[in-house]
Amino acid sequence: MQTALRNIIRTNDQKFRPYDRYGTTLKGVEWLPLSGSKKTDKEVYLIRFQPGSRSHPHIHRGSEEFLVLTGTLTDDDGTVFGPGDFVRFEPGSSHSSVS
């Protein structure tokens, strides 16, 4: 293995920051970008929702995938995602969520 071709992000050592991806900070939402960028249309990041916090309504240009680790997340159509749920939104889908 060429270690120069491996990148390790020790997420336990990283500090989450306020979620300001779209120019405004979402109260109670923090994130930790891991790879990619908006420019590449591929991003990987960890996101934390405090109880009662919510995302803005948005449309997916690409797919969105997430795994709920703890707590619940309720989508605007009433679907509740819980620990262990892996969710994929296809390109063109739209939603918002509340914790």
Side-chain angles (χ1 to χ4, degrees), residues 7 10 18 22 32 35 43-44 48 50 55 59 67 74 79-81 83 96:
N7 184 20
R10 304 215 184 270
Y22 298 104
L32 178 61
S35 70
E43 296 176 86
V44 177
R48 259 192 316 224
Q50 296 300 319
S55 67
I59 298 173
L67 172 66
T74 304
T79 302
V80 178
F81 311 117
S96 64

Side-chain angles (χ1 to χ4, degrees), residues 82-97:
D85 288 346
F86 179 81
V87 182
R88 178 182 171 90
F89 286 95
E90 298 297 335
S93 60
S94 63
H95 74 118
S96 64
S97 305

Side-chain angles (χ1 to χ4, degrees), residues 21-95:
R21 185 169 175 258
Y22 298 104
T24 59
T25 300
L26 293 178
K27 185 178 179 181
V29 181
E30 299 174 310
W31 72 322
L32 178 61
L34 299 174
S35 70
S37 70
K38 285 195 290 188
K39 294 176 185 173
T40 63
D41 282 340
K42 180 183 177 211
E43 296 176 86
V44 177
Y45 52 87
L46 300 177
I47 191 164
R48 259 192 316 224
F49 284 77
Q50 296 300 319
S53 60
R54 62 182 59 243
S55 67
H56 290 303
H58 57 282
I59 298 173
H60 300 121
R61 292 187 318 163
S63 63
E64 174 182 276
E65 298 176 331
F66 60 87
L67 172 66
V68 179
L69 298 175
T70 63
T72 60
L73 193 66
T74 304
D75 239 19
D76 55 6
D77 68 356
T79 302
V80 178
F81 311 117
D85 288 346
F86 179 81
V87 182
R88 178 182 171 90
F89 286 95
E90 298 297 335
S93 60
S94 63
H95 74 118

